[in-house]
Amino acid sequence: QELYFRYPLEYPSSRALLQDKTSSTEPGLLPGETVVREGKAAILFPSANEVFYNPVQEFNRDLTCAVITEFAREQLAQRGVRILVPGERDRVQQHEEEGGKKEYITASVGERCEQGLRVLEGLAASGLRSVRFALEVPGLKSITANDYSAKAAALIARNAQHNNVSHILQASQRDASMVMYEARGKKERYDVIDLDPYGSPSPFLDAAVQAVSEGGLLCITCTDMAVMAGNSGETCYSKYGSMSIKSKYCHEMALRIILHSLDQRAAVYQRYIEPLLSVSVDFYIRVFVRVKTGQAVVKNSASKHALLYNCVGCGAFHLQRMGKKMSQGKHMKYSAATGPPVGPNCEHCRQRHQLGGPIWAEPIHDITFVQKVLGAVSGNPTRFRTSKRIEGVLSMVTEELRDVPLYYVLDHLSSTVHCNTPPMLQFRSALLHAGYRVSLSHACKNAVKTNAPAGVLWDLIRCWEKSNPVKRERLSETSPAHRILSAEPTLQACFEIREDANPQSRKRHLTRFQENPQANWGPKARAKAGGGISSELEDKRKQFQGKRKKPITDSSQLKSLPCKKLRKVCPLNYNICSVFKIMRSCCYQTSQYFILLF
C-alpha cells in the first residue's frame, strides 16, 4: 500500500509492500491484530475498522516529521540545544565549525529533552504519528497523543509501550477541544499542535490558535475537499467563513480558505499567523503555520484577505482586498478598500462574475524555511520512504511566485476557445518574452501562475489560434470562444522557447505528481465502534467504481425502473430523436437501458 510515484517501476509491487508493512507473527498481539510498519514505528493495529488508519497518508506523516525537525532545530538553537538527526553527519560537522567553542546540549531521537518542545496530537487514532515523532524527531520534551475513543486511547498506550517511548509519549482520552482550551495559559501551551481529523478541522481551530505557544507551530489537515473546492459553498462559509466556488484553481483556493479561517480566529485573541508551508496533496490539503501575538500586526489583517471575482465564462479572476493601509511617517493609516475591480460582466467574454472568498491573499509559504526542510530531506534521502516525492513537491514550492495568488490552467484556456493546447514551454516562453513572470504550481500539473493580467493571456491564445485556426462558423455568437476570438490581439506573441522557461524541478525530472497507487486509494471509511466497513458503503463502491470504463451489456444488471423522469412513461412512445434528447438528461443506467432497448 505504499505510494506509487511518477516512475512506478522504481518501486516494489503493492503486494510486496503490503507484506513488508504488515505482520501478524510478533509476540504480544491480540487476536485479530496486525503490526503496521511505517518509518521507525511498529504499530499494533486491529484488523477491524475500530481505529482509523490510511496508509496513503504516509507522505503526510513523513513531511510533518521533516517540518517539525527543522522547526525544532530553529527553536532549540535559541535555548542552547543542538539536535542530532541520524544521517546528518555533514550538517553536524558544519554546525560545530560555525559554533566554535560555544557549548550546546545535544538532543537525540528517542530521548527526552528537558528544554525541548511539547507536542500535542489532538486526534491521534492509533498513535502512529505520535510514535513516529518520538522515534524520528529529536529535541522533544513530551508528546500528548489524544483521542476521544476509549479503544483508540488504549491502543495508543499499548503502541507507546510496544515502541519503548512511554517516557516521552502519554495517551489521553478526552475531547480535543477541551484539552486545548485548558492549555491556554502561557505556561501550559504546546509548542507544536497537530490536527489531522476525519473531515473538517473547523471545530478545533478556535482552541488550537489559543493553545499554541508564542511562535509555536500549527499543523492542520483538511480532507473535506468537496466543500472547500466549490461543491458546497454555503457549507464552506459556515465552517470556514469563506465562500468557495468551482474553478480550475480550486486546490490553491482551498489552501487560502483554511489560512483565512486560521488568521480570522487568531485575530480575535490579538494573534496572527505566518504560513511556513502549504501544500495540496492527493485528496487533502496540509498547512504549517507559525502563530504569534501582536496587536499592531493584527491591524494588518484586513489587508491580508481578499474577495474573489471569477468569470463563469472564461475563468478570468480578480482579487479585491478587504482593506488597505498607507504609511504616514511613523504611523500607519488603515481604511476600507475601494472597488469592485470588475464590472457587472467580464470584459473578455461578457459573462457574469461569481463572488467568492474572502481568502488569504498573502504568500502561503516561507521560502527560507522550505529551503531548510528541502536541504535536510535531500541531504538525508534514506530517512523517509517518500523522500523523492517530498523533494519534488518542495522544489516546486520554492519555484512558485510568492506574490501571485491562484493560477490559470493551460488546457482550460485553450478549451475555452476550442483550439489546440500550446506546449507548456512555448506558452511560458511567450509570457517571459512579453516581460512577465511565470511559474508552475505544485497544486496542478498544467498550472500557469503569472503576474500577467487575463487580457495578456487571451492575447497569447489569440496569437496561437492564428497558427492553429478554429472553425469559427461553428461557434455561437454568444459563446465565450466567439467573443474572445473576435477581438484582435494587442501584442504579438513570441513562442520561441527560452532557456529559463523550463524550471529546475522539470529539468531534473523530480517526482512531482504521483499516479494513483491502488484502487479506492482516497479517503477511507470513518472508524466505527464495532469495527468493519458498512455493507452500504461497499455496495456503493461496487456500483459506481469504474462505471464509465465498464459499460453494462446485460439488461439484468440494470435497475427495474428508469430514472424519475421516465418512471410513468414508456420509452417506446417516443421517436428516436426524442429518445436521444431524453438520454442526454437521464441517469447513466437509463441511458444504457435505451441503448440495449434500441
Side-chain angles (χ1 to χ4, degrees):
Q1 296 184 9
E2 168 62 71
L3 293 175
Y4 281 113
F5 300 119
R6 188 177 181 87
Y7 305 103
L9 294 179
E10 299 178 4
Y11 297 87
S13 65
S14 59
R15 179 176 297 180
L17 288 166
L18 180 60
Q19 294 174 353
D20 180 62
K21 292 184 67 174
T22 61
S23 173
S24 58
T25 60
E26 290 199 9
L29 293 180
L30 297 178
E33 284 189 341
T34 59
V35 176
V36 177
R37 301 183 182 280
E38 184 178 296
K40 302 295 183 182
I43 301 298
L44 307 177
F45 194 77
S47 299
N49 192 37
E50 296 179 353
V51 180
F52 184 80
Y53 169 66
N54 190 350
V56 175
Q57 288 202 12
E58 182 177 1
F59 173 82
N60 184 335
R61 293 182 281 269
D62 286 351
L63 179 62
T64 303
C65 289
V67 169
I68 295 180
T69 300
E70 291 309 305
F71 177 77
R73 197 190 306 273
E74 287 185 358
Q75 295 292 104
L76 298 186
Q78 304 172 7
R79 307 178 190 179
V81 179
R82 184 181 63 195
I83 65 174
L84 301 178
V85 180
E88 290 189 353
R89 298 178 181 177
D90 296 338
R91 296 191 65 171
V92 171
Q93 183 177 1
Q94 180 183 1
H95 193 90
E96 292 177 351
E97 293 176 356
E98 294 177 354
K101 298 181 180 180
K102 186 175 180 180
E103 295 184 358
Y104 286 91
I105 301 174
T106 58
S108 302
V109 294
E111 297 179 358
R112 178 184 172 92
C113 178
E114 293 300 329
Q115 293 83 15
L117 305 181
R118 298 178 64 242
V119 181
L120 169 67
E121 185 184 3
L123 307 148
S126 63
L128 169 60
R129 191 182 301 256
S130 294
V131 171
R132 290 196 58 185
F133 290 165
L135 293 174
E136 301 178 31
V137 180
L140 302 183
K141 181 179 180 180
S142 65
I143 303 172
T144 302
N146 177 79
D147 200 283
Y148 192 70
S149 168
K151 292 185 178 180
L155 186 60
I156 293 169
R158 290 186 58 211
N159 282 324
Q161 185 176 5
H162 184 73
N163 290 270
N164 299 319
V165 292
S166 298
H167 59 291
I168 303 178
L169 195 156
Q170 296 83 37
S172 169
Q173 184 200 347
R174 300 187 60 194
D175 180 84
S177 295
M178 294 308 300
V179 172
M180 292 184 285
Y181 278 130
E182 292 179 1
R184 290 177 293 175
K186 292 185 178 180
K187 295 183 179 180
E188 290 81 23
R189 291 175 177 173
Y190 294 95
D191 299 295
V192 179
I193 295 180
D194 190 303
L195 295 176
D196 189 354
Y198 185 92
S200 172
S202 58
F204 311 103
L205 298 184
D206 181 77
V209 295
Q210 298 181 68
V212 68
S213 63
E214 179 65 17
L217 180 66
L218 272 184
C219 314
I220 309 292
T221 299
C222 303
T223 57
D224 55 335
M225 289 301 294
V227 172
M228 305 187 75
N231 280 1
S232 302
E234 67 286 350
T235 305
C236 184
Y237 186 82
S238 65
K239 291 183 176 181
Y240 302 102
S242 179
M243 180 65 71
S244 61
I245 55 179
K246 289 185 178 180
S247 58
K248 292 298 180 180
Y249 47 77
C250 60
H251 294 96
E252 183 176 330
M253 180 182 65
L255 289 170
R256 295 183 179 276
I257 286 176
I258 184 61
L259 292 176
H260 158 78
S261 184
L262 282 169
D263 190 66
Q264 283 285 87
R265 297 174 197 239
V268 175
Y269 309 102
Q270 302 300 310
R271 311 194 81 181
Y272 61 95
I273 66 169
E274 292 180 352
L276 298 180
L277 174 63
S278 308
V279 291
S280 173
V281 182
D282 299 333
F283 54 87
Y284 60 89
I285 58 175
R286 181 75 163 167
V287 296
F288 302 88
V289 301
R290 198 193 304 266
V291 181
K292 294 184 178 181
T293 306
Q295 184 177 6
V297 182
V298 170
K299 292 182 178 180
N300 299 329
S301 180
S303 60
K304 296 179 181 178
H305 305 268
L307 294 173
L308 175 64
Y309 292 85
N310 180 75
C311 173
V312 299
C314 65
F317 60 84
H318 300 79
L319 295 181
Q320 170 64 65
R321 299 272 179 164
M322 300 292 291
K324 63 179 180 179
K325 58 180 181 179
M326 296 178 293
S327 177
Q328 294 184 345
K330 298 181 179 180
H331 303 281
M332 296 293 296
K333 181 180 179 181
Y334 301 92
S335 62
T338 57
V342 295
N345 297 319
C346 175
E347 60 178 319
H348 308 293
C349 67
R350 304 175 194 170
Q351 299 290 324
R352 68 185 188 280
H353 286 101
Q354 285 180 319
L355 181 61
I359 62 173
W360 178 262
E362 293 295 300
I364 60 176
H365 313 292
D366 183 335
I367 298 302
T368 302
F369 182 83
V370 174
Q371 288 174 341
K372 292 180 180 179
V373 179
L374 176 59
V377 173
S378 59
N380 191 7
T382 60
R383 184 183 179 193
F384 303 116
R385 201 197 301 252
T386 62
S387 291
K388 287 188 176 181
R389 191 182 180 199
I390 293 176
E391 183 179 358
V393 171
L394 296 186
S395 296
M396 291 198 70
V397 166
T398 60
E399 295 169 351
E400 290 182 5
L401 296 179
R402 297 179 62 249
D403 56 341
V404 178
L406 307 181
Y407 54 80
Y408 292 92
V409 178
L410 182 56
D411 49 1
H412 177 257
L413 293 175
S414 57
S415 65
T416 301
V417 297
H418 307 290
C419 75
N420 296 334
T421 303
M424 177 63 77
L425 286 184
Q426 289 186 251
F427 195 80
R428 285 168 55 89
S429 299
L431 283 168
L432 294 173
H433 283 301
Y436 296 98
R437 295 178 294 138
V438 62
S439 75
L440 299 176
S441 172
H442 78 279
C444 180
K445 186 175 182 180
N446 295 323
V448 177
K449 185 182 282 285
T450 177
N451 63 336
V456 173
L457 298 179
W458 290 125
D459 277 346
L460 298 182
I461 292 295
R462 293 185 187 103
C463 294
W464 176 261
E465 189 271 339
K466 290 184 181 298
S467 57
N468 300 269
V470 175
K471 295 182 178 180
R472 302 196 182 190
E473 62 274 9
R474 295 186 177 183
L475 301 178
S476 171
E477 294 184 357
T478 58
S479 66
H482 183 273
R483 289 171 173 169
I484 291 173
L485 295 179
S486 296
E488 288 296 323
T490 58
L491 63 85
Q492 294 300 319
C494 176
F495 291 99
E496 182 181 352
I497 295 179
R498 291 177 42 152
E499 181 66 24
D500 54 349
N502 196 12
Q504 287 296 321
S505 62
R506 196 168 181 268
K507 288 181 179 179
R508 295 166 56 193
H509 302 286
L510 297 179
T511 304
R512 301 179 300 167
F513 303 99
Q514 75 158 35
E515 296 179 354
N516 295 349
Q518 61 187 34
N520 300 322
W521 67 280
K524 300 299 181 182
R526 185 188 295 270
K528 295 172 55 181
I533 300 177
S534 65
S535 58
E536 181 182 359
L537 179 59
E538 285 298 314
D539 293 341
K540 286 184 177 180
R541 283 180 175 174
K542 293 178 182 178
Q543 179 181 359
F544 296 112
Q545 182 69 28
K547 65 179 184 181
R548 301 298 182 188
K549 296 181 181 179
K550 300 177 181 178
I552 298 175
T553 57
D554 185 4
S555 60
S556 62
Q557 299 176 2
L558 298 171
K559 55 187 180 182
S560 58
L561 288 175
C563 61
K564 295 179 181 179
K565 296 183 179 180
L566 298 177
R567 189 163 290 177
K568 296 182 180 181
V569 297
C570 175
L572 292 177
N573 295 336
Y574 296 89
N575 58 36
I576 192 65
C577 295
S578 301
V579 167
F580 282 120
K581 289 181 180 179
I582 294 171
M583 287 173 59
R584 287 165 49 181
S585 63
C586 291
C587 68
Y588 173 73
Q589 288 198 348
T590 302
S591 302
Q592 295 294 313
Y593 177 83
F594 283 153
I595 291 173
L596 291 176
L597 192 62
F598 291 98

